[in-house]
Amino acid sequence: MLFESFFISQCCYIYKMRSLLILFTFLFISCSLDDGKLSGNLYEYDAERTGIVRIPAKDQFVLLGTNDSTAPLNDRPSMKVKFTYSFSISKNEVTRKEY
């Protein structure tokens, strides 16, 4: 009897652990399918300059700043800004020598 109840409790434990593993695997896969980035091309490579990307920002909006009362004064208020042009930027930090 004792062996039988021990065996049943071990089987239940294994079943519960397997169920948890399957649940966590499912959650991990479902969360990792979306990288959180916007869909579509956010930049294009600049054909004329190596390491430079072109950001097609013309007529796009961005929210700058915050309305949080605890934020520094120079970070307030929040404002919606519209780009009137696209721009290029280096993929890496630019040194004085490269500039």
Side-chain angles (χ1 to χ4, degrees):
M1 258 336 221
L2 183 61
F3 178 73
E4 187 176 300
S5 75
F6 176 76
F7 181 74
I8 291 173
S9 68
Q10 288 298 325
C11 287
C12 290
Y13 176 77
I14 291 171
Y15 176 75
K16 288 177 184 178
M17 295 310 287
R18 186 186 314 159
S19 298
L20 282 174
L21 179 64
I22 291 170
L23 176 67
F24 284 124
T25 302
F26 175 74
L27 290 173
F28 178 75
I29 290 171
S30 65
C31 292
S32 63
L33 292 178
D34 181 20
D35 60 3
K37 296 180 181 175
L38 299 173
S39 59
N41 292 337
L42 299 179
Y43 64 89
E44 53 196 40
Y45 288 98
D46 192 329
E48 297 175 13
R49 295 176 221 108
T50 305
I52 304 291
V53 292
R54 183 92 177 136
I55 309 295
K58 185 173 179 160
D59 297 328
Q60 300 294 317
F61 290 91
V62 65
L63 190 62
L64 300 177
T66 181
N67 289 326
D68 184 3
S69 61
T70 62
L73 287 175
N74 60 345
D75 290 344
R76 294 183 283 172
S78 177
M79 62 185 127
K80 190 174 182 179
V81 179
K82 181 180 179 181
F83 282 96
T84 58
Y85 56 89
S86 294
F87 61 93
S88 295
I89 191 167
S90 176
K91 288 176 61 177
N92 303 312
E93 186 174 344
V94 178
T95 63
R96 283 190 282 163
K97 184 178 180 182
E98 291 173 322
Y99 183 72

